[in-house]
């Protein structure tokens, strides 16, 4: 066997490997790939004098598992997802069938991920957050946020939860609906990076729970609302603060400073202005039912006396029930005094005007709204509060009426049927309705730039009601519901235009529609011993009150129905509670 000295020399320049391995390192060149012995000589080795073929550009040895040329590569594996996500379809495989009744949008997370919801200021934050609240937790989109660096971990979770609860407390104490309070809390938490949050709102308790991940323990905080106050100026300021947090991305320290400034702000109207507004409200309400100028001033004086007595009771720490009792007595006493003096004055209009200033229409609308949106515990508590306040009004008025009827059983001027059934003066009533709405704006401590819109909205409400009631001769209940629906629609549109709460534009405007006359007529029948007639009148008053609340809520929902909110199409539509079918 003839040896090849050149082959031996090339063998000496071979790689120095370990353990007799035949693989070459990455540093081997074309001349280093010759075998070291005849046994290792490959049949594919080129003869002497024939150049070696060029190596691949990457100069890496190929793996025996490499896919041959011409075959289609496999689909890359997807990231690990939920255990309830169906496997995606691969080559030659049939996807697993979805469960019965499940849809592609609502049952599972799509393979490409959940679409993001833009949090830019292209729509009010109420709509953006309400859309996410009405979705199941596993389908909520992740909002777009700026990427943080490794050192920037965001604000501390306890501070964010504390700020969220403080904002929710002001909104709930100001009379905002439970759904809007939850939407505000949800928006604030999301704006500061807390995605897995669940706010909960009841009548007096707010709580929020945050879970960092599926394996971490949740962090829960709560806060109790112990005092309630009507201040729509503060309510609007909180709405602007939430809008700055969710849209402009202000820091946590700036949000705390803004909240402290809101708490330090004084009411826009002093206490004496509230007393004058209470008198103006009662006087305007008496003109709605046919009162003269003398009746106007009498109702105003009685209402202002009742307001001062209520302030005195509040300063002594008496519960709100007794405040309503003492506030209802002076207007009734003035009316009974006119009746006993046999003056040619409509005493019933004086008492009816005083009732307009006391009927808790704001709490009634909020309670019905919570019930229609699925917050039944909060709705039941609000309606129970309304019931207690109405009982307080009944006790105060009935006490005075009973004393007056004992002194003179033939008090005919306390019967409101004659004045209420015959009086129909559009110009006087429209003017009175706008004055009534204006007085309500002052009592609710609204911002000055919202007073004109709310006053005009109240005039429109009475025009619609009067046209349906006196011209078209429609029943008062549907006429009231339609007028209240327009109030809710216009209020919602105005709030969207100004990125504010709808309450300042709605609550004062429904004042002319409140069932003051029906309530008074029912109480008078009770005092006279006519129980069936009294129950009929009170049922009619309750029907009118519910028509107002349902109409306002329906008008607001109609506004949201036709105005698009961002992310709704991608997220599967605007969600609501499913209908219960008896099981």
């Amino acid at each position: 066997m003839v040896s090849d000295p050149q082959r031996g020399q090339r063998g000496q320049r071979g790689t120095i490997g370990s353990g007799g391995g035949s693989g070459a390192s990455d540093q081997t060149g074309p001349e280093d790939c010759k075998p070291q012995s005849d046994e290792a000589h490959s049949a594919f080795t080129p003869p002497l004098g024939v150049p070696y073929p060029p190596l691949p550009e990457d100069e890496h040895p190929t793996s025996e598992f490499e896919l041959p040329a011409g075959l289609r590569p496999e689909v890359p594996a997807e990231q690990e997802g939920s255990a309830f996500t169906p496997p995606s379809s691969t080559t030659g495989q049939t996807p697993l069938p979805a469960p019965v009744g499940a849809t592609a949008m609502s049952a599972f997370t799509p393979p490409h991920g959940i679409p993001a919801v833009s949090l830019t200021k292209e729509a009010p934050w109420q709509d953006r957050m309400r859309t996410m609240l009405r979705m199941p937790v596993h389908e909520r989109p992740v909002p777009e946020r700026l990427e943080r660096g490794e050192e920037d971990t965001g604000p501390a979770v306890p501070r964010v939860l504390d700020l969220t609860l403080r904002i929710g407390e002001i909104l709930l104490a100001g009379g905002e609906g439970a759904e809007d309070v939850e939407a505000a809390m949800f928006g604030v938490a999301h704006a500061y990076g807390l995605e897995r949050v669940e706010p909960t709102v009841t009548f007096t308790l707010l709580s929020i729970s945050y879970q960092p991940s599926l394996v971490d323990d949740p962090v829960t905080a709560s806060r109790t609302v112990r005092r309630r106050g009507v201040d729509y100026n503060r309510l609007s300021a909180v709405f602007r603060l939430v809008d700055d947090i969710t849209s402009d991305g202000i820091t946590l320290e700036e949000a705390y400073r803004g909240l402290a400034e809101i708490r330090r702000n004084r009411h826009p109207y002093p206490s004496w202005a509230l007393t004058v507004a209470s008198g103006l409200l009662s006087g305007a309400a008496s003109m709605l039912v046919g009162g003269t100028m003398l009746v106007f001033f009498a109702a105003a004086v009685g209402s202002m006396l009742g307001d001062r007595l209520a302030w005195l009771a509040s300063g002594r720490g008496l519960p709100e029930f007794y405040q309503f009792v003492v506030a209802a007595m002076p207007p009734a006493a003035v009316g009974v005094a006119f009746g006993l003096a046999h003056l040619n004055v409509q005493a019933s209009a004086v008492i009816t005007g005083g009732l307009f200033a006391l009927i808790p229409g704001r709490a009634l609308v909020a309670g019905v709204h919570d019930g229609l949106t699925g917050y039944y515990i909060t709705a039941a508590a609000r309606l129970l509060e309304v019931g207690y306040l109405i009982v307080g009004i009944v006790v105060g008025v009935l006490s005075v009426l009973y004393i007056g009827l004992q002194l003179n059983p033939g008090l005919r001027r306390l019967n409101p049927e004659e004045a209420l059934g015959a009086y129909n003066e559009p110009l006087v009533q429209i003017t009175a309705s706008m004055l009534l709405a204006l007085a309500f704006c002052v009592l609710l401590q609204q911002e000055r730039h919202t007073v004109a819109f709310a006053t005009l909205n109240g005039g429109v409400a009475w025009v619609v009601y009067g046209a349906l009631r006196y011209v078209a001769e429609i029943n008062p209940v549907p006429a009231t519901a339609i007028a209240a629906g327009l109030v809710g629609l216009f209020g919602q549109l105005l709030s969207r235009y100004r990125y504010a709460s709808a309450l300042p534009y709605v609550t004062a405007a429904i004042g002319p529609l409140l069932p003051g006359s029906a309530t008074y007529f029912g109480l008078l029948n009770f005092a006279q011993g006519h129980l069936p007639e009294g129950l009929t009148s009170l049922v009619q008053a309750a029907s009118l009150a519910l028509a107002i609340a349902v109409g306002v809520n329906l008008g607001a929902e109609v506004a949201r129905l036709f105005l698009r909110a961002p992310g709704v199409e991608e997220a599967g539509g605007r969600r609501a509670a499913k209908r219960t079918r008896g099981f």
Side-chain angles (χ1 to χ4, degrees), residues 109-306:
T109 302
H112 54 274
I114 301 177
V117 170
S118 175
L119 293 184
T120 57
K121 195 174 181 179
E122 58 185 5
W125 60 265
Q126 303 98 300
D127 293 334
R128 304 195 301 265
M129 295 300 109
R130 188 184 291 110
T131 300
M132 299 181 68
L133 274 178
R134 294 184 176 183
M135 298 173 61
V137 179
H138 64 281
E139 293 182 15
R140 288 177 181 169
V142 179
E144 296 177 353
R145 268 184 214 96
L146 297 176
E147 296 294 336
R148 295 191 177 98
E150 295 181 359
E151 298 180 357
D152 186 10
T153 58
V157 172
R159 296 199 66 199
V160 174
L161 297 183
D162 177 71
L163 176 67
T164 302
L165 290 173
R166 290 178 182 272
I167 290 177
E169 178 189 10
I170 296 179
L171 294 177
L172 185 62
E176 194 64 65
E179 186 180 31
D180 289 330
V181 176
E182 283 196 2
M185 297 172 64
F186 194 80
V188 172
H190 258 253
Y192 291 115
L194 307 186
E195 297 175 0
R196 295 176 176 270
V197 291
E198 280 298 326
T200 303
V201 176
T202 59
F203 186 58
T204 58
L205 180 67
L206 301 105
S207 64
I208 185 169
S209 178
Y210 168 65
Q211 189 173 12
S213 65
L214 295 177
V215 296
D216 293 329
D217 296 332
V219 180
T220 303
S222 61
R223 197 173 185 87
T224 302
V225 178
R226 302 191 182 278
R227 292 192 60 185
R228 299 177 181 273
V230 181
D231 188 349
Y232 283 0
N233 181 38
R234 178 177 294 180
L235 194 69
S236 300
V238 174
F239 264 67
R240 288 192 296 270
L241 176 62
V242 176
D243 185 64
D244 292 339
I245 293 173
T246 57
S247 300
D248 299 337
I250 63 175
T251 64
L252 188 65
E253 298 301 328
E254 293 173 343
Y256 264 109
R257 284 196 295 269
L259 188 62
E261 184 178 355
I262 291 173
R263 290 183 177 275
R264 287 194 300 267
N265 285 344
R266 299 178 62 87
H267 299 302
Y269 308 105
S271 59
W272 64 264
L274 300 182
T275 301
V276 173
S278 178
L280 178 62
L281 191 154
S282 296
S286 66
M287 293 180 65
L288 278 177
V289 294
T292 61
M293 290 304 298
L294 181 58
V295 172
F296 177 92
F297 287 108
V301 170
S303 182
M304 287 189 289
L305 289 176

